[in-house]
Amino acid sequence: MTSRLNRLAVALLATTLATLGITVANPSPASAAMTICYNTSQAGSYASVANQAASIWNNATSNLTLSANCGSNLRIYQITGGGSYAQRTSLGNGRVYIDTQQAAQYSVLRIMTHEIGHILGLPDNYNGNCALLMSGGSAGTSCTNPYPSSAEASRVSNLFAGTFSASDRSADIFRDSWPSALTSVS
């Protein structure tokens, strides 16, 4: 009976998450890993960078999988001008825009991983600390660290375990993480 209730609870969770645009891969009572399907058809030369960033997040989190071109929870675009930014429509869903001009100044892998971090529920943290992924461009152009800190990764894992707040799920646009090289903080 308990096993049946667990399966029912997981199925209910999967249905609820599907209405939010998040799919659940291999739902089982012991582990409900969530899959976010990202689409790189508009990422241009940054498609392979998106794959690297997804791999970084997959290795850093315990209950989340980013999977390429299986759907469109997350769309990645290559743009020129206007700055790199993320537009989250809900937790795990949205669009990432990578600006070729900023990618020439900053580590494009750091930019990509950072912007995907917004889609996964993380806010900016402009403290200039290169060890924190979400410090973005405030760490300067020499910072190439594309890895979330253990605290950042843990927060994402917790968000996808269902312990998120309304602000973590809400739509938001995250701009100005990457100041131009002329105004960057050293």
Side-chain angles (χ1 to χ4, degrees):
M1 182 73 165
T2 301
S3 177
R4 181 185 239 184
L5 288 175
N6 284 341
R7 283 194 303 272
L8 181 61
V10 170
L12 180 61
L13 176 62
T15 302
T16 302
L17 291 172
T19 63
L20 296 172
I22 300 171
T23 58
V24 177
N26 303 322
S28 67
S31 170
M34 294 181 206
T35 298
I36 295 178
C37 295
Y38 65 95
N39 184 304
T40 59
S41 64
Q42 301 297 310
S45 62
Y46 300 133
S48 64
V49 176
N51 294 333
Q52 288 178 287
S55 179
I56 287 170
W57 280 111
N58 289 342
N59 290 327
T61 57
S62 60
N63 56 354
L64 176 66
T65 301
L66 280 84
S67 185
N69 301 314
C70 60
S72 59
N73 298 96
L74 169 58
R75 291 188 175 273
I76 300 170
Y77 297 88
Q78 176 179 315
I79 61 172
T80 299
S84 298
Y85 65 100
Q87 184 175 17
R88 183 176 65 216
T89 54
S90 63
L91 184 65
N93 296 280
R95 294 176 292 283
V96 165
Y97 300 88
I98 305 298
D99 180 0
T100 58
Q101 294 170 342
Q102 284 181 331
Q105 298 173 5
Y106 295 90
S107 163
V108 69
L109 182 56
R110 180 172 169 82
I111 294 171
M112 184 73 72
T113 310
H114 170 97
E115 298 303 340
I116 290 173
H118 289 310
I119 303 301
L120 301 179
L122 296 177
D124 281 312
N125 179 350
Y126 300 124
N127 67 3
N129 183 347
C130 185
L132 298 177
L133 177 64
M134 299 314 290
S135 69
S138 72
T141 56
S142 63
C143 178
T144 61
N145 172 32
Y147 299 100
S149 69
S150 59
E152 291 167 326
S154 178
R155 178 161 170 79
V156 169
S157 290
N158 288 336
L159 290 169
F160 283 88
T163 57
F164 38 75
S165 69
S167 65
D168 296 317
R169 293 183 295 210
S170 65
D172 207 346
I173 297 175
F174 300 89
R175 289 189 176 271
D176 303 323
S177 297
W178 309 95
S180 70
L182 299 175
T183 61
S184 67
V185 177
S186 297

